């Protein structure tokens, strides 16, 4: 990699580590949301996000729509794949979670807690609590093939 791309990779390592360590739990939530579908429908993810975060921040429909749209990958054949505009793949779901975390905790300006990986980590914790999979023992029982260990944030530190 060039100097610039290696710097970018290095800068994103903490976020990538957080997402990697929580891949099993995130996959479990994605699978629950998509049900029998191949991807998650926009309405399901918007409702889930609104209910999950409404005590911290009330997202408007427009904000949720923008977060959804910005998370979509490029659609090459808009006619053939028009349905795709209404669904998120797993990787788009991961991007959506990151975008929601940034918006939800945009007020956090602390040098450490304001970093993207801490914001995403906090949102994942909220998601795990809502899905009752925060306990690593329960999480491993529900998803035995995946490591869904949770990177703890020091409880004494003020966040969000």
């Amino acid at each position: 990699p060039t100097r610039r791309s290696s710097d970018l990779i290095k800068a994103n390592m903490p976020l990538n580590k957080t997402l990697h360590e929580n891949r099993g739990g995130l996959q479990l939530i994605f699978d629950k949301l998509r049900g029998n579908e191949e991807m998650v429908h926009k309405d399901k993810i918007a409702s889930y996000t609104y209910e999950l975060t409404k005590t911290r921040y009330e997202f408007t429909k427009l904000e949720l729509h923008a977060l959804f749209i910005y998370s979509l990958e490029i659609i090459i054949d808009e006619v053939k794949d028009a349905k795709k505009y209404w669904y998120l793949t797993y990787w788009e779901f991961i991007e959506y979670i990151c975008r929601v975390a940034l918006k939800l905790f945009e007020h956090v300006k602390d040098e450490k807690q304001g970093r993207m990986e801490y914001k995403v980590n906090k949102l994942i914790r909220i998601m795990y609590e809502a899905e009752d999979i925060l306990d690593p023992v329960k999480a491993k029982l529900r998803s035995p093939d995946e490591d869904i260990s949770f990177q703890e944030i020091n409880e004494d530190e003020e966040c969000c």
Side-chain angles (χ1 to χ4, degrees):
T2 64
R3 170 92 171 126
R4 211 179 271 189
S5 62
S6 65
D7 289 345
L8 184 60
I9 292 167
K10 190 176 191 179
N12 286 303
M13 284 178 70
L15 174 61
N16 292 337
K17 180 181 182 292
T18 296
L19 293 170
H20 179 75
E21 287 178 344
N22 291 287
R23 69 193 180 279
L26 293 171
Q27 182 71 54
L28 185 78
I29 294 167
F30 176 79
D31 290 344
K32 179 182 174 185
L33 288 170
R34 73 183 173 98
N36 294 330
E37 300 277 346
E38 187 178 331
M39 300 173 278
V40 177
H41 193 275
K42 177 186 172 215
D43 293 341
K44 279 188 181 179
I45 193 71
S47 294
Y48 178 80
T49 305
Y50 181 81
E51 288 301 318
L52 186 71
T53 61
K54 68 182 176 185
T55 60
R56 291 169 178 82
Y57 179 86
E58 286 204 34
F59 282 102
T60 66
K61 286 184 180 185
L62 183 59
E63 286 173 317
L64 291 173
H65 177 74
L67 294 171
F68 179 89
I69 294 298
Y70 294 145
S71 300
L72 290 173
E73 294 176 353
I74 295 172
I75 299 173
I76 304 294
D77 188 341
E78 294 179 349
V79 174
K80 178 182 159 218
D81 298 325
K83 179 181 173 185
K84 176 63 184 89
Y85 281 110
W86 296 94
Y87 292 88
L88 291 179
T89 64
Y90 175 74
W91 295 111
E92 291 167 337
F93 169 73
I94 296 298
E95 182 168 343
Y96 178 83
I97 289 168
C98 293
R99 289 179 180 280
V100 168
L102 289 176
K103 179 67 177 169
L104 186 62
F105 302 117
E106 69 184 349
H107 65 280
V108 178
K109 302 299 182 199
D110 178 79
E111 186 176 332
K112 183 177 180 182
Q113 297 292 330
R115 294 194 325 239
M116 187 173 190
E117 67 269 17
Y118 280 88
K119 293 176 180 184
V120 171
N121 192 305
K122 180 70 173 171
L123 180 58
I124 291 171
R125 175 183 288 264
I126 293 166
M127 293 169 73
Y128 279 18
E129 287 173 352
E131 299 299 327
D132 195 30
I133 60 172
L134 185 56
D135 179 4
V137 174
K138 284 183 186 176
K140 287 180 183 172
L141 287 174
R142 291 185 185 197
S143 183
D145 299 329
E146 301 287 339
D147 171 19
I148 59 173
S149 59
F150 194 83
Q151 176 190 354
E152 290 293 328
I153 295 177
N154 185 347
E155 295 298 328
D156 297 330
E157 294 177 350
E158 186 63 32
C159 177
C160 318

